[in-house]
Amino acid sequence: MTDSILNTVKKKCQIPIDCDDFDDDLLVEINSVFMIAMQIGFGDTAIVVNDDTKKWSDLGLSEDKLGFIKSYVCNKTKLKFDPPQNSTLLNSLQETIRELESRINYETTN
């Protein structure tokens, strides 16, 4: 799997990595999600992703914490960028995001 934050999110949103048509829109949402993550306890400074060169490894997290934040950023960005039209899928995605937010908050306060 790619280490690029943008490319990982593109994959989650089912956008081919070589397609840059939606990069600007995705980057806005990715940066918004990182700001939300900071507000719930992930890190002290906002992470800014400007292109596909920003890597997950740049975050300096352990693999277990990196898994939480990858899943959170990908799912939350997908919800904001291209929410499922099916209400069951939408509810499932929202519940997954709520659980990840709770776990990120727990990990950062303990």
Side-chain angles (χ1 to χ4, degrees), residues 7-73:
N7 290 342
T8 303
V9 171
K10 284 170 115 173
K11 184 176 179 182
K12 178 69 175 182
C13 293
Q14 298 179 333
I15 299 170
I17 291 175
D18 60 351
C19 174
D20 61 2
D21 296 347
F22 306 103
D23 285 7
D24 289 341
D25 297 323
L26 284 171
L27 289 168
V28 167
E29 300 304 343
I30 290 168
N31 288 318
S32 171
V33 171
F34 270 119
M35 181 61 74
I36 293 166
M38 185 187 75
Q39 291 173 346
I40 62 172
F42 173 74
D44 297 329
T45 57
I47 294 159
V48 178
V49 180
N50 295 314
D51 53 35
D52 65 353
T53 62
K54 185 73 168 183
K55 309 290 184 198
W56 292 106
S57 56
D58 294 341
L59 303 181
L61 298 173
S62 62
E63 281 299 313
D64 56 337
K65 290 183 180 175
L66 186 58
F68 279 134
I69 200 66
K70 271 185 180 182
S71 184
Y72 179 70
V73 169

